[in-house]
Amino acid sequence: MLPFARVTVIGLGLIGSSIARGVRATMPTARVTGFDADPEVRAVARRIDLCDDVADTAGAAVIDADLVILCVPVGAMAAAARDLAADLPADAIVTDVGGSKASVLAALREALPGATIVPGHPVAGTENCGPESGFASLFRGRWCILTPDGETPETATARVQAFWEALGANVECMTPQHHDLVLAVTSHVPHLIAYTIVGTASDLEQVTQSEVIKYSAGGFRDFTRIAASDPTMWRDVFLNNREAVLEILQRFSEDLTALQRAIRWGKGDELFDLFTRTRAVRRSIIDQGQDDARPDFGRAHE
Amino acid sequence: MLPFARVTVIGLGLIGSSIARGVRATMPTARVTGFDADPEVRAVARRIDLCDDVADTAGAAVIDADLVILCVPVGAMAAAARDLAADLPADAIVTDVGGSKASVLAALREALPGATIVPGHPVAGTENCGPESGFASLFRGRWCILTPDGETPETATARVQAFWEALGANVECMTPQHHDLVLAVTSHVPHLIAYTIVGTASDLEQVTQSEVIKYSAGGFRDFTRIAASDPTMWRDVFLNNREAVLEILQRFSEDLTALQRAIRWGKGDELFDLFTRTRAVRRSIIDQGQDDARPDFGRAHE
C-alpha cells in the first residue's frame, strides 16, 4: 500500500533530490514530479533523470499531485506556496522539510488557505547542496519530526508518517514550538557556533590562514564541515527561529563564561567534571545509531 | 640512516602507543622501550606486544635511550621528567608531545637541567585513548610542530625533525608562544566550545536528553566527537595554555555577540556574508589533505 501515488517535490536541492531518489528506490510505482525555480537546476534534474517528470512551472508540477513536498529554504516557503496555490488539488496534502516550524506553518496557512498541511522536518543532511548531492538513503535511520496542529486531520498526518517511514526514517510528532526549541539546541546553535569560530579563526591578525588550515586536525576541521553548509538555507533558519536560537545562545554563553572563569582561576576540577560528563552523551548517540562509532568518524588513516 | 636507534616512549596512551607502533612500522631496526606510570597500561602494552620492551620504572626505560619522548598530559610532564632525570644519558635528546608548549618547555628545563630538549607537538589524534587506541599511521600527512628555543642545539632539532618525518609527518618550527596561540585557535577553543555546547544541551529543562540524542544528526553530533576526548589531557591543556585560550575565547565571544545581534535585528545579509566566507576555509582544508572530502566525513549512508 503506497501512502501516495503522485508525489511532487518543489525545490530540487540536497533534500528534495534525496526525496526524489528515495521515492524511486523505495516506492517504485509512485510517480515523482519535480520543480525548481532555477531553470539550471531543472536542466540538471532532467539530465540525471532525477524524477519521472520535471515541470516548468510550480502549477504544472502540482496539478494532479496527492502529496506536495516543499523543499526550499524556509524564507522561500511562502512564495513557493503562493506559486502553486491556484493549481493545488483540493485533496492534496502539503508538507515541507523546513528547519524551523512555527514560522513555516504560519506562512503556509496564509499562502494556502483551506489546504491540508502537515509540516515536517527530516533531521538529516550533509554539507553539500544541489540536485546532484542527494542520495536515496539520506533519511534511513534518521528522525523526521512532524508538527501538525489542531487544524491538521489525523489521517493526513498518518499518511505523511507512512511516507517518511517508507523512506527509512523514524517519525515523531511534536508541537512546532517544541520542535523549534529542540532544533535550536541540536542543530541551529551548533551551526552558528561553527560559523562563528571559523570566522574568528579567519580574522586573526597573529595567526595566518595557512596555519589555521595546516593545524586544523587539532579539532577545528570538525567545525568547518558544518560551517560549509548552504548559506541561504542557514540565514533563513536563523531569521525564522530567532526566539529559540537566542534563548539557547544565551544559555550557551552563560555556560561558556563559567568555563572561561574556571580556566582563569585554575579550577581544574570544574573542567574535569564537565569533560567527563560530556563523554556519556557521545556514547548514547553512537548506541542509538545516530553516528559512526569508529574513531575520528572513521576518517581514513592509511 | 636512522635518526635514533633506541627510542623510549614515556606514557602509552593514544599518542605514545601510536608512536611506538609507528617506529616499529617505519624504523624496524630501532629498539622501542615503553613505560607508563599505570601498571595496568604496562600489562596491556606487554600483552599486545606494543614495544620491544616495557620497563617497570621510568629510570630503567631511559637508561640507554638516545631519544626519550614524553607522552603524558601536560600537567604531568614535570613529574614524569623528574622520575627519569637521574637515569637520563647525557647525550640523549628529550622531546614531548604536549598540546601547550611554553609551560611544558619551562617545566622540562627545570626538571632536567642541562638536558637537550626539543619540545614538540604532533597535531593529530582521535577521541579515543589508551594503549590499544593507537595506530602507526596516525601522524601520516599531519603536521608536527617543534618549538626549540635559543638553548636547543640545531642538530638536535634536525634529528627530531627527521624522526617525525620518518613517521610520515610534516614538520614546522615556531616559538612556543606562537604555537600556543595557533593551537588555541585550531584546537583548544574548538574543544572548549564543543564541551560547552554538549554540557548546555545536557542541562536544558525543556528538552530531554533523549531528544538531544535522537536529533543530533542536525549538527550537534559533530561536536560530541571532540567532546569525548580525554578529560585529564584537556583539563591540563586549558590550565597550561590559559593566556592564549582566554585571548581567543574573547575574540570568539565578541564575534558570537555580533552574530547574535544580527539575528535579533534580522540582518540577513551579515549572516549570509559570513556563511559564504566560511565555506572557503573548508575547501582549503580538504585541498591540503587535512580532512576527508567526502560529504559528512564519508559517514556510511547505506
Side-chain angles (χ1 to χ4, degrees), chain A residues 137 200 206 218 255 291 299 301, chain B residues 137 200 255 291 297 299 301:
Chain A
S137 65
T200 303
Q206 315 101 308
D255 293 345
D291 207 350
R299 282 183 180 107
H301 289 291
Chain B
S137 65
T200 303
D255 293 346
D291 206 352
F297 301 116
R299 282 184 178 105
H301 289 291

Side-chain angles (χ1 to χ4, degrees), chain A residues 127 137 172 178 187 200 206 211 214 218 220-222 225 227 247 255 278 290-291 296-297 299 301, chain B residues 127 137 172 178 186-187 200 206 211 214 218 221-222 225 227 247 255 278 290-291 296-297 299 301:
Chain A
E127 67 274 32
S137 65
E172 189 131 320
H178 189 63
S187 180
T200 303
Q206 315 101 308
E211 288 173 324
K214 276 182 185 170
F220 181 76
R221 63 179 180 176
D222 285 11
R225 190 186 73 78
E247 181 179 341
D255 293 345
T278 49
Q290 295 303 311
D291 207 350
D296 225 3
F297 303 117
R299 282 183 180 107
H301 289 291
Chain B
E127 67 274 32
S137 65
E172 190 132 321
H178 190 63
T186 61
S187 179
T200 303
Q206 315 103 305
E211 288 174 323
K214 275 183 187 170
R221 64 179 179 176
D222 284 12
R225 190 187 73 78
E247 180 181 340
D255 293 346
T278 49
Q290 295 303 313
D291 206 352
D296 226 4
F297 301 116
R299 282 184 178 105
H301 289 291

